[in-house]
Amino acid sequence: MGSTSGNLSRRSLCAGAISLLPAAAALLSAPLLSGCANTPATQQSSDAGSEPSTGSTFAFDTYCTFTVYGDGSAPALLAKECARYDKLFNLYDERSDIARINAASGEPVRVHADTVDLLLAAKTYCEQADGLFDITIGAVSTLWDFTEGVRPTPEAIADALPHVDWRCIEIDEEALTVRLADPQAKLDLGGIAKGYVADRLCDLLRDETSATGAVLSLGGNIALFGEKPNDEPWETGIRDPNDPGGDTVVGTARVQGGSLVTSGLYERMFEQDGVTYWHILDPRTGEPVQTDVASVTVLCPSSTTADALSTTLFVAGSRRGAEIADALEDTAAYFILQDGRAVESTRWQELTDFS
């Protein structure tokens, strides 16, 4: 973000009452709350304000869970909205808005208003990130396969890298069209889409339900809505990146609201010829980012911002990343380094009461 980092905007999409790089990993442990469902499309209803209703669904290639106070019908509504957004933003669904834009060979594509809204926000974050975050990383990210352990050749990466440039995205807000001026560019919203959706779900809770408080976990992107009964703080455990397959936490954040999002090395990786490759790519090189960070957790009022910022800070590294977080209002970050040490931005303890 360089000299522009202090101007990173906060879109108060879900604050109080309340955008990949390929799928920046939101790897917070499950919130330390009762009743989160563990199977898709399940729901436990309760209309009592002190007892939550819970539900879950599978979307965005992950399990999304909802814990809602005050409205037993809300979890089903949230699950339905997740399915709708997944159909719009899924890079690998040829019918989605994003896939259609990528396949249009530089022609304008009419899309849903929500897609325009997300892309406008994402362009703002790209502009302010000084090369650390770029949603046209799809030109490179689609060459990698972290499930099957496929590493593209250096030549393929070099050929694709010139097409990673968010400036080629042209948006007509009135006509609801999006065009990639570079026909070989590709969008990949994995580093911001879940945060955007979390904010929109909070808006839905506020505008269309009687919910008084909620925890929304979209694969670990945690968004907090309203208030917990008895005005208690919301508690969320931060997972230990050195125990990727377990439930070990390094501590618990206690906050009154906002969003917590984690990016980490350990969600998707593979080893080839003695070299480990992880899924967070540096848009400047097209390769897995070289960083001292194993995971970074960001707290701020907007989940869209937290999502994009967690990837940005991860690529920036702990020293520059902490400086970026410190320059932003109501924002804090917690870095766990690859050597096991932890680094906190200036306001982390103040905003999280972390222990």
Side-chain angles (χ1 to χ4, degrees):
M1 286 189 183
S3 61
T4 64
S5 63
N7 295 321
L8 186 64
S9 63
R10 289 189 303 107
R11 303 183 76 202
S12 298
L13 300 171
C14 199
I18 357 203
S19 75
L20 231 268
L21 304 173
L27 296 177
L28 293 173
S29 71
L32 304 180
L33 300 163
S34 62
C36 285
N38 294 315
T39 55
T42 62
Q43 183 176 332
Q44 170 188 330
S45 295
S46 173
D47 292 315
S50 61
E51 292 297 325
S53 299
T54 62
S56 68
T57 191
F58 192 83
F60 321 112
D61 199 32
T62 191
Y63 283 107
C64 305
T65 64
F66 320 113
T67 301
V68 183
Y69 294 88
D71 191 328
S73 65
L77 187 60
L78 295 170
K80 183 178 179 181
E81 278 296 275
C82 281
R84 185 178 72 83
Y85 283 117
D86 195 30
K87 289 180 180 179
L88 290 177
F89 304 148
N90 188 339
L91 171 64
Y92 297 102
D93 181 350
E94 63 182 14
R95 298 165 298 179
S96 76
D97 281 359
I98 301 307
R100 291 190 301 110
I101 294 167
N102 288 344
S105 300
E107 294 299 316
V109 176
R110 184 172 175 82
V111 298
H112 194 280
D114 289 335
T115 303
V116 168
D117 190 43
L118 171 54
L119 289 175
L120 287 171
K123 282 189 67 176
T124 297
Y125 293 116
C126 291
E127 180 179 10
Q128 296 165 345
D130 195 24
L132 299 176
F133 179 83
D134 195 316
I135 60 170
T136 59
I137 190 66
V140 173
S141 68
T142 53
L143 300 176
W144 291 82
D145 188 334
F146 291 89
T147 301
E148 299 297 329
V150 175
R151 185 203 190 286
T153 65
E155 293 77 16
I157 293 174
D159 288 344
L161 203 56
H163 306 293
V164 178
D165 187 351
W166 61 270
R167 296 170 185 83
C168 76
I169 305 169
E170 298 178 356
I171 302 172
D172 187 326
E173 295 182 61
E174 184 174 345
L176 294 180
T177 61
V178 179
R179 172 179 178 266
L180 298 178
D182 177 356
Q184 297 185 64
K186 289 185 179 181
L187 298 172
D188 182 343
L189 300 179
I192 193 171
K194 286 190 291 185
Y196 175 85
V197 172
D199 282 335
R200 299 281 69 76
L201 294 180
C202 287
D203 288 346
L204 182 149
L205 289 175
R206 181 193 62 213
D207 298 337
E208 299 185 28
T209 77
S210 58
T212 57
V215 179
L216 311 180
S217 176
L218 277 58
N221 284 52
I222 308 298
L224 304 168
F225 169 83
E227 298 179 352
K228 192 176 179 181
N230 302 322
D231 294 326
E232 297 175 354
W234 303 103
E235 297 185 345
T236 301
I238 308 296
R239 182 178 294 175
D240 183 355
N242 297 311
D243 183 26
D247 296 322
T248 305
V249 297
V250 298
T252 300
R254 300 169 182 83
V255 301
Q256 294 299 326
S259 181
L260 288 147
V261 177
T262 298
S263 288
L265 293 179
Y266 45 89
E267 183 188 25
R268 288 186 295 138
M269 63 175 66
F270 67 90
E271 186 172 320
Q272 189 177 96
D273 298 327
V275 179
T276 299
Y277 300 97
W278 45 79
H279 75 289
I280 301 179
L281 303 182
D282 189 328
R284 300 166 297 186
T285 67
E287 299 274 0
V289 61
Q290 297 298 308
T291 179
D292 63 335
V293 178
S295 72
V296 56
T297 299
V298 173
L299 168 69
C300 66
S302 161
S303 194
T304 310
T305 301
D307 202 357
L309 192 57
S310 69
T311 302
T312 302
L313 300 191
F314 194 97
V315 177
S318 63
R319 181 174 179 178
R320 186 180 178 194
E323 293 174 350
I324 293 171
D326 284 341
L328 304 175
E329 184 181 356
D330 298 328
T331 300
Y334 183 82
F335 302 82
I336 300 176
L337 307 188
Q338 295 190 46
D339 63 11
R341 293 181 297 125
V343 172
E344 301 175 358
S345 69
T346 302
R347 289 187 295 275
W348 176 253
Q349 285 293 343
E350 173 190 346
L351 295 179
T352 67
D353 187 25
F354 185 75
S355 63

